[in-house]
């Protein structure tokens, strides 16, 4: 799967935390429908490459999104967009 370069969406020199910028970008893709409910997310390494950040940064952003109910992490299977994110669950922008 070819991923689009999204590194220009991250400001590495500004005061905003990089993991938070990444989480906000993914959240906005979910809210816009670019990431559909139940869609499998790219792997941590793919996201790191796509955004030009470290894997640790991706892991922190995914953790935040999962805690807010936007993503579901299934050990051994991957990370998926939550079904609830489409229905305006708490923590979503809908």
């Amino acid at each position: 799967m070819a991923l689009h370069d999204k590194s220009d969406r991250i400001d590495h020199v500004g005061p905003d935390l990089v993991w938070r910028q990444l989480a906000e970008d993914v959240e906005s893709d979910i809210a816009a429908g670019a990431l559909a409910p139940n869609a499998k997310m790219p792997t941590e390494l793919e996201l790191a490459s796509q955004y030009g950040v470290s894997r640790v940064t991706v892991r922190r952003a995914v953790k935040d999104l999962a805690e807010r109910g936007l993503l579901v992490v299934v050990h051994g299977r991957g990370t998926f967009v939550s079904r609830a994110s489409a229905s305006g669950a708490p923590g979503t922008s809908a």
Side-chain angles (χ1 to χ4, degrees):
M1 161 168 66
L3 299 173
H4 295 81
D5 180 14
K6 296 182 178 182
S7 59
D8 61 331
R9 297 183 184 184
I10 303 296
D11 177 8
H12 291 272
V13 295
D16 296 330
L17 298 171
V18 174
W19 71 263
R20 188 164 290 146
Q21 293 178 63
L22 175 57
E24 288 171 357
D25 193 64
V26 172
E27 181 177 6
S28 109
D29 282 350
I30 291 170
L35 293 170
N38 294 329
K40 186 171 184 185
M41 293 291 295
T43 67
E44 288 179 355
L45 287 174
E46 289 170 335
L47 284 170
S49 175
Q50 186 178 23
Y51 282 93
V53 299
S54 74
R55 187 173 165 194
V56 173
T57 298
V58 171
R59 187 171 289 167
R60 179 62 183 96
V62 168
K63 179 180 182 224
D64 176 68
L65 291 165
E67 287 173 352
R68 294 191 289 134
L70 295 169
L71 297 180
V72 176
V73 179
V74 181
H75 184 72
R77 296 204 49 222
T79 302
F80 300 85
V81 177
S82 170
R83 283 185 220 153
S85 64
S87 63
T92 65
S93 299

